Amino acid sequence: MTASKNPSRSTIISLLVGAVFVVLLGWRIASLENYTFARIIQDFLNALTLGSLYALIALGYTMVYGIIRLINFAHGEIFMLGAYFAFYAMTLTPLNWAVSLLITIILGGAVMLVLRSLFNLEEPKRTFVLALLIFAGTFFLLTFRKLGWIEALALSMLATGTAGVLLEAIAYRPLRGAPRESMLITAIAASFFLQNLGQLLFGARVRGFNAETVLNKPLSFHIGQETVYFTGILVVVPLVTAVLLWVLNLFVSKTKLGKAMRATAQDAEVAQMMGVNVNQVIALTFFIGSIMAAAAGVMYAIRFGQIHPLMGLMPGIKAFTAAVIGGIGSLPGAVLGGLLLGFIEIYVVSLFPTLSAYRDVFAFVLLILILLFRPSGLVGEDLTEKV
């Protein structure tokens, strides 16, 4: 039985705080003489791009939490791996055929094993065709041409998705029946392990991600007497995010595996009694979340032009914050929280330049306010109204 649907006290407070914020924001914009319409458009594009990146990373957090109630603190390091995979794919290709063959065997074999376990690929003909496409396609891409950002993104998503499944199988699955604190500590340990492994394998110094792509070319358009300058990545990131979210929504809502994911999120034990392979569903969740993180990592690296083994630390924390703000466990909440954080960061720096050093503080202040007045998040289910 639920209480009446009158607005709750927390909802009213949230609306009032939002209204005050909008009024203060409008007053600040009006008080700045050099804040032109072109600058408004520029800030909007930057905020939408950054928020879209946070949303992609936050989806991985919220999906894993929705299925097994685990905060995967190593998700930021999965984001980092995606950026490095794309970096090497774009800068080292074309490779010697022997090196390409070795990488194809290792990567293709790992991807095939993961895909077979995730999608029950038991029919020999379909398995053979898929293996042929993966092995031949990988070998061709690595050997005969320098990869562009689209091919590098696709390879990075496959490799990072495989890494996410391996992380779940090695670090989390053996502790499935253990207390939740054990899995949480393991997630933190996995994060530190991947950070140090990244420094060992890739080196600790910052690398420039300066691969020439159409995404880096300067673009501009005119608004009256003013000019807005931007690059292609500012347009591509929201589009890629929207496409991936659309595909994810279709998968979760329309496919058999998507329905199994929703059933597992609702009650894993009952779902298993009804024939759902819970291990498969959890591994699939890590695979999809890692794919999203890889896409964010590649576009983040192109956007900011550098990568390093600790690059996933702060974006990962902020994406987790975004997931909590939106309502952890809710896909729309993850997107809303990511976009909200992106807009706050960009507009704080733009409207209050003296506070630019504290841009990260505002995200966590918002998190504290949300936890105080609406712990379930902006679009999460308000459990306090249940009787």
Side-chain angles (χ1 to χ4, degrees):
M1 181 177 180
T2 58
S4 64
K5 296 184 178 180
N6 293 330
S8 66
R9 181 171 175 268
S10 62
T11 302
I12 294 174
I13 293 175
S14 300
L15 291 175
L16 289 176
V17 171
V20 172
F21 176 77
V22 170
V23 171
L24 292 175
L25 186 63
W27 167 79
R28 179 60 181 173
I29 292 175
S31 65
L32 293 175
E33 296 181 357
N34 61 341
Y35 202 81
T36 62
F37 188 68
R39 188 172 168 187
I40 292 176
I41 299 297
Q42 182 70 68
D43 287 343
F44 178 82
L45 289 174
N46 289 329
L48 183 62
T49 300
L50 185 60
S52 298
L53 292 174
Y54 287 155
L56 278 179
I57 310 172
L59 281 170
Y61 277 110
T62 204
M63 288 181 66
V64 171
Y65 182 84
I67 297 292
I68 59 175
R69 297 298 185 266
L70 168 69
I71 304 299
N72 180 22
F73 284 111
H75 195 63
E77 282 58 56
I78 296 294
F79 163 89
M80 175 268 294
L81 289 178
Y84 269 97
F85 287 147
F87 170 77
Y88 286 118
M90 295 177 70
T91 56
L92 298 182
T93 54
L95 297 171
N96 177 276
W97 70 268
V99 177
S100 295
L101 182 60
L102 178 62
I103 295 177
T104 298
I105 293 173
I106 296 174
L107 178 60
V111 171
M112 275 302 303
L113 287 175
V114 168
L115 292 182
R116 285 196 64 184
S117 65
L118 293 182
F119 300 105
N120 297 324
L121 300 175
E122 298 179 356
E123 186 177 340
K125 184 179 292 186
R126 290 185 178 180
T127 303
F128 175 77
V129 172
L130 180 61
L132 182 63
L133 289 175
I134 290 176
F135 283 97
T138 303
F139 181 76
F140 176 82
L141 289 176
L142 295 178
T143 307
F144 296 105
R145 62 190 302 266
K146 186 175 180 62
L147 296 187
W149 73 272
I150 296 178
E151 299 98 328
L153 176 63
L155 283 177
S156 174
M157 291 170 73
L158 275 177
T160 309
T162 302
V165 175
L166 292 176
L167 173 67
E168 187 275 330
I170 295 172
Y172 301 142
R173 187 173 299 183
L175 298 174
R176 190 73 52 77
R180 192 173 299 176
E181 294 82 0
S182 300
M183 295 188 70
L184 183 63
I185 294 171
T186 302
I188 298 173
S191 174
F192 284 117
F193 172 78
L194 290 176
Q195 288 176 18
N196 287 276
L197 181 64
Q199 294 182 74
L200 178 64
L201 295 177
F202 309 131
R205 66 185 180 89
V206 177
R207 293 176 178 265
F209 198 115
N210 299 316
E212 291 295 330
T213 71
V214 295
L215 303 181
N216 294 327
K217 292 184 178 179
L219 303 172
S220 64
F221 63 89
H222 299 280
I223 301 178
Q225 301 295 325
E226 302 172 348
T227 304
V228 177
Y229 297 96
F230 63 102
T231 56
I233 190 68
L234 296 185
V235 179
V236 170
V237 169
L239 290 178
V240 171
T241 302
V243 170
L244 290 177
L245 291 177
W246 177 71
V247 172
L248 176 60
N249 183 64
L250 283 181
F251 177 82
V252 171
S253 60
K254 301 295 183 181
T255 67
K256 183 178 179 180
L257 285 174
K259 293 176 182 178
M261 290 175 65
R262 286 186 286 145
T264 304
Q266 189 172 15
D267 195 317
E269 292 185 4
V270 174
Q272 189 168 17
M273 292 172 59
M274 299 298 293
V276 174
N277 188 336
V278 173
N279 286 334
Q280 178 189 21
V281 169
I282 294 173
L284 180 61
T285 303
F286 273 83
F287 183 76
I288 295 174
S290 299
I291 282 178
M292 296 289 181
V298 175
M299 292 184 289
Y300 189 95
I302 296 175
R303 170 70 179 88
F304 295 101
Q306 63 180 24
I307 57 174
H308 55 90
L310 302 182
M311 64 178 288
L313 182 60
M314 187 53 68
I317 293 175
K318 289 183 180 178
F320 168 65
T321 301
V324 175
I325 289 173
I328 193 162
S330 167
L331 297 183
V335 177
L336 177 61
L339 292 174
L340 186 59
L341 281 192
F343 275 84
I344 287 176
E345 281 196 32
I346 295 300
Y347 280 100
V348 163
V349 174
S350 182
L351 298 179
F352 305 93
T354 57
L355 299 178
S356 59
Y358 305 99
R359 58 187 297 178
D360 296 333
V361 174
F362 289 89
F364 301 114
V365 169
L366 177 61
L367 173 64
I368 293 171
L369 293 175
I370 289 293
L371 292 176
L372 285 175
F373 297 108
R374 190 171 175 81
S376 58
L378 294 176
V379 297
E381 183 182 5
D382 191 354
L383 300 178
T384 60
E385 294 190 2
K386 296 283 180 83
V387 179

